Amino acid sequence: MDSETREKIKKAVRELLEEADMNEMTEYKIRQLASKRLELDLSESKYKAYVRHVVNAFLEEQKAKEEEEEAAGDDNNNNNNEFDDDGDLIICRLSDKRRVTLQDFRGKTLISIREYYKKDGKELPSSKGISLTEEQWSTLRKNIPNIEKAVRKMESHTM
């Protein structure tokens, strides 16, 4: 297989993997979708092995990224914790007025994405925002690739 074909296959497979719901996607499905995209029968053994190689390399990269992010998260959780005036853990600041916090409310852990305002020198949460249970947060996280895909699709229609 020539290097140009290898690059086209690699690019198509990686793009498909980046867009895919990894809980549903299989190597076979990737091969089928890439075959259609490239108008090339990737079920032939010479291509099949290369597609498998690209998929495995992608999965290894994803695994390494996740481990790196987990390690960075562990580092952030050691002594660098920042708390707001209510004692809630500030995970990150999205802007001057918006932040993501982790809080305990009536015995439930909530992830809050909320706008804050200042009053009497204190930063207080406003009603503008959302608090998610752990289950809701998990559902949102699993659907981030779908949300990003929809945003890309919407953006491509508005250009």
Side-chain angles (χ1 to χ4, degrees), residues 78-125:
N78 288 340
N79 294 319
N80 302 329
N81 293 341
E82 181 184 3
F83 296 89
D84 66 14
D85 293 332
D86 291 330
D88 299 330
L89 177 63
I90 299 172
I91 304 298
C92 70
R93 293 178 181 269
L94 301 174
S95 70
D96 241 8
K97 293 183 176 185
R98 291 188 183 139
R99 64 177 80 144
V100 180
T101 61
L102 188 65
Q103 64 184 123
D104 183 60
F105 182 74
R106 296 185 182 166
K108 287 192 175 196
T109 300
L110 299 175
I111 295 87
S112 290
I113 304 168
R114 191 156 301 283
E115 203 166 278
Y116 284 71
Y117 65 97
K118 286 190 179 187
K119 183 177 180 182
D120 300 326
K122 288 181 86 174
E123 289 185 314
L124 301 170

Side-chain angles (χ1 to χ4, degrees), residues 13-30:
V13 168
R14 289 186 68 86
E15 285 174 359
L16 289 165
L17 286 166
E18 287 170 7
E19 296 169 1
D21 175 355
M22 297 308 285
N23 294 322
E24 302 291 324
M25 192 52 67
T26 64
E27 182 184 326
Y28 174 78
K29 288 179 185 176
I30 288 289

Side-chain angles (χ1 to χ4, degrees), residues 138-150:
S138 180
T139 300
L140 178 64
R141 281 184 47 216
K142 287 177 186 169
N143 283 284
I144 292 293
N146 295 331
I147 294 167
E148 289 174 335
K149 187 176 178 181

Side-chain angles (χ1 to χ4, degrees), residues 44-91:
E44 293 179 29
S45 61
K46 63 182 178 181
Y47 299 128
K48 201 173 186 178
Y50 184 64
V51 169
R52 178 171 291 133
H53 167 75
V54 173
V55 168
N56 287 337
F58 178 85
L59 293 174
E60 287 298 319
E61 288 171 24
Q62 294 303 108
K63 185 178 177 183
K65 278 183 190 176
E66 286 176 13
E67 289 171 355
E68 193 174 295
E69 287 171 2
E70 284 178 17
D74 289 345
D75 290 345
N76 290 340
N77 288 335
N78 288 340
N79 294 319
N80 302 329
N81 293 341
E82 181 184 3
F83 296 89
D84 66 14
D85 293 332
D86 291 330
D88 299 330
L89 177 63
I90 299 172
I91 304 298

